[in-house]
Amino acid sequence: MLKLAVLVSGGGTNLQAIIDAIADGRITNARIETVISNNPGAYALKRAEKAGITASCISPKEYAKREDFHQALLQALLLAKVDLVVLAGCLVVIPEQIVQAFEHRIINIHPSLIPSFCGKDYYGLKVHEGVLDRGVKVTGATVHFVDAGTDTGPIILQKAVRVEASDTPETLQRRVMEEAEWVIMPKAIDLIANNKIQVTGGKVVEI
Ligand code: GRF
């Protein structure tokens, strides 16, 4: 049974998609061990509570140094003995020491088709604003393993979503979540939990 830590910062709809997929059997051989938020006001914490999952807040504001916050996060993950760390709308940049401690055991969802509209300047609504400004007709979402860079790790799954002429960043964000993020995030976890993929030569391959 793969033990998951789900790291969140906000609404937690991706967390909810994982909870629902475990409940209805689209994810097998995995359970959420803990939910950790950097933001005490995140609605994701309420979702965890409602589902009876251990949830806590580790806020950088409670630590004098960023390094101490990073240490606290790492210790919480080690203490929970998790096998996979899932960044589900997590706005914290994961530091090198956590990436190294969990090599190929951290996954992230990004709301575009990487390598487009990704990297340090693209997060939240900025991704969808960039898509609309450039006028691309197709966008989507990507689940990838986390490495030392920003959105540069091996790609696990991608799903395309159409862009409509009438879209605002908000309507596009919603469609990308509904049609792509909530589908491929649970699928990626199920693939990992059932040993269906591995990283070879920097790429994800099916086993
Ligand atoms: C999602 O669009 C995710 O891709 C992005 O932030 C949003 C989080 O949504 N990184 P939620 O907290 O899962 O509802």
Side-chain angles (χ1 to χ4, degrees):
M1 183 70 75
L2 194 81
K3 285 163 57 172
L4 314 176
V6 183
L7 271 50
V8 295
S9 299
T13 61
N14 279 288
L15 167 66
Q16 192 65 54
I18 298 165
I19 293 171
D20 295 346
I22 290 174
D24 69 21
R26 278 175 294 131
I27 297 175
T28 57
N29 291 323
R31 71 158 196 267
I32 303 176
E33 191 66 16
T34 187
V35 169
I36 302 173
S37 173
N38 61 308
N39 164 17
Y43 186 67
L45 288 170
K46 293 240 157 41
R47 293 183 191 270
E49 198 182 301
K50 277 185 197 157
I53 299 165
T54 306
S56 59
C57 174
I58 301 178
S59 165
K61 292 187 182 138
E62 287 161 23
Y63 299 87
K65 286 185 290 173
R66 195 75 184 173
E67 206 183 302
D68 295 343
F69 163 64
H70 289 160
Q71 263 310 319
L73 189 55
L74 176 59
Q75 288 313 315
L77 295 172
L78 294 174
L79 203 71
K81 293 190 164 55
V82 296
D83 305 301
L84 183 70
V85 178
V86 179
L87 308 181
C90 171
L91 294 176
V92 172
V93 176
I94 301 301
E96 185 78 40
Q97 78 249 44
I98 297 186
V99 173
Q100 275 170 12
F102 288 87
E103 198 196 7
H104 297 154
R105 292 192 295 140
I106 307 177
I107 64 172
N108 179 49
I109 181 102
H110 182 76
S112 78
L113 294 174
I114 290 174
S116 290
F117 308 105
C118 65
K120 68 175 178 49
D121 294 331
Y122 287 110
Y123 55 89
L125 274 180
K126 288 185 191 298
V127 178
H128 307 290
E129 284 163 8
V131 164
L132 294 176
D133 284 349
R134 185 63 185 85
V136 298
K137 306 304 178 203
V138 176
T139 184
T142 304
V143 182
H144 63 91
F145 283 110
V146 172
D147 66 8
T150 305
D151 302 327
T152 51
I155 291 170
I156 303 169
L157 289 173
Q158 294 187 297
K159 192 166 188 291
V161 173
R162 74 194 180 285
V163 179
E164 303 286 1
S166 59
D167 269 329
T168 63
E170 290 78 9
T171 61
L172 186 56
Q173 179 183 49
R174 184 75 195 175
R175 189 173 324 106
V176 168
M177 292 204 290
E178 284 176 358
E179 293 184 11
E181 294 183 39
W182 303 342
V183 178
I184 61 175
M185 181 57 119
K187 229 183 228 175
I189 294 169
D190 186 62
L191 288 173
I192 295 166
N194 290 288
N195 293 315
K196 297 266 178 65
I197 56 169
Q198 67 183 29
V199 179
T200 305
K203 290 179 191 162
V204 171
V205 292
E206 283 181 32
I207 301 172

